[in-house]
Amino acid sequence: MYNPFTLQGKTILVTGASSGIGKSIAIQCSQYGASVVITGRNQERLQETLDLINIEETRQHLAFSADLNSDEQILKLASNVPCLDGLVLCSGINDKAPIKYVTRDKIEKVYNANVYGPILLVRELIRQKKINKGASVVFISSISSIYATISNALYASSKGAINSLVKVLALELSSKRIRVNSIMPGMVRTGINNTYELSDEEIDSVIKSYPLGRIGETEDIANAAIYFLSDASSWVTGANLVIDGGVTLR
């Protein structure tokens, strides 16, 4: 049966695959037929993801531990990975602080993880000709870039940079038919939410603010990534797709 969403025969690299959204996307890519290459900083948790996707013995899945804050490790990762039909950039951090408590160190910490690392990895993969013609690049952004909340300036602005980057890269890489898009999730149930330190009452209040009556699950974002990675989105590039249960409609 014809399935435009299949990833059969594709090789996909997922960063930040040791937990959360990245882990879910890696597993989903495998289930849709891709050979998956995963990377993250935590070797033990990365191995747990690899074990989950290695059930399928007819395909080879690979894992490379790498810190995208390091130029040397970015270069090594790009050199080690095979040629790619898809790339999903999921790694990122948050460090909430009101603007009066922002420091240069805090800015560099967030931007190194959320902006510089992903940009430099894409650059290196392109330089080494590791991204095939017709491939798809997917960034995980956030509604924080368009939906302001107090104390979230660094994370929000870093994701705003990604939204702009997506449009420029989409244009630059169009001659190679490489598509570049992003997904902008609302609040998703992942470990990064611990940085918000919300009480049970506050979490209940957040959930009630979502018109569809719940916050997101990692699978919701993985499903969107599958769309962008597959041939079903072959005429889509430069898009920043909001997936937020309707909260930005408020």
Side-chain angles (χ1 to χ4, degrees):
M1 181 182 294
Y2 173 65
N3 177 10
F5 298 97
T6 184
L7 300 181
Q8 197 76 38
K10 296 182 184 291
T11 300
I12 310 292
L13 172 61
V14 183
T15 74
S18 57
S19 63
I21 290 172
K23 181 177 182 178
S24 185
I25 289 174
I27 293 170
Q28 197 91 311
C29 285
S30 173
Q31 291 172 343
Y32 274 75
S35 294
V36 183
V37 184
I38 59 174
T39 186
R41 290 183 297 179
N42 188 305
Q43 179 64 54
E44 184 178 345
R45 290 191 301 174
L46 198 63
Q47 185 61 48
E48 290 175 2
T49 304
L50 186 63
D51 290 342
L52 287 171
I53 63 178
N54 254 342
I55 298 172
E56 177 55 73
E57 297 180 357
T58 61
R59 281 174 278 125
Q60 182 181 18
H61 305 298
L62 303 171
F64 298 102
S65 179
D67 184 349
L68 300 188
N69 290 324
S70 164
D71 289 351
E72 181 181 351
Q73 292 191 39
I74 287 173
L75 178 61
K76 183 178 178 181
L77 175 63
S79 300
N80 285 334
V81 300
C83 290
L84 304 169
D85 303 296
L87 168 62
V88 189
L89 298 129
C90 300
S91 56
I93 62 170
N94 195 355
D95 191 357
K96 289 175 67 70
I99 198 67
K100 64 181 178 180
Y101 297 121
V102 165
T103 63
R104 183 174 295 275
D105 286 345
K106 282 181 177 288
I107 296 170
E108 289 179 352
K109 177 183 175 183
V110 172
Y111 273 68
N112 279 337
N114 295 0
V115 183
Y116 303 154
I119 289 176
L120 293 172
L121 177 58
V122 171
R123 180 204 67 180
E124 197 56 42
L125 290 168
I126 291 170
R127 281 183 173 180
Q128 295 191 31
K129 299 182 179 180
K130 289 295 184 75
I131 302 180
N132 293 329
K133 288 186 176 180
S136 174
V137 178
V138 183
F139 289 86
I140 301 301
S141 180
S142 170
I143 64 165
S144 296
S145 58
I146 59 170
Y147 193 65
T149 54
I150 292 172
S151 302
N152 211 26
L154 297 185
Y155 184 75
S157 59
S158 72
K159 293 303 186 179
I162 292 299
N163 295 349
S164 297
L165 172 71
V166 161
K167 294 187 178 298
V168 175
L169 281 184
L171 196 58
E172 286 190 6
L173 300 180
S174 61
S175 63
K176 296 182 174 64
R177 300 296 183 265
I178 296 173
R179 297 175 291 109
V180 185
N181 297 286
S182 85
I183 300 168
M184 300 168 59
M187 181 175 282
V188 176
R189 206 182 304 276
T190 69
I192 198 172
N193 296 145
N194 295 333
T195 61
Y196 292 93
E197 297 180 347
L198 299 177
S199 66
D200 291 342
E201 291 77 13
E202 288 172 322
I203 291 174
D204 287 342
S205 177
V206 168
I207 291 173
K208 288 176 182 176
S209 72
Y210 278 74
L212 291 184
R214 66 174 177 90
I215 61 173
E217 302 294 341
T218 56
E219 291 80 8
D220 295 316
I221 312 308
N223 288 336
I226 296 300
Y227 167 69
F228 279 133
L229 292 167
S230 73
D231 293 342
S233 61
S234 62
W235 208 46
V236 180
T237 195
N240 293 311
L241 176 63
V242 172
I243 302 182
D244 69 347
V247 72
T248 53
L249 299 174
R250 296 288 191 186

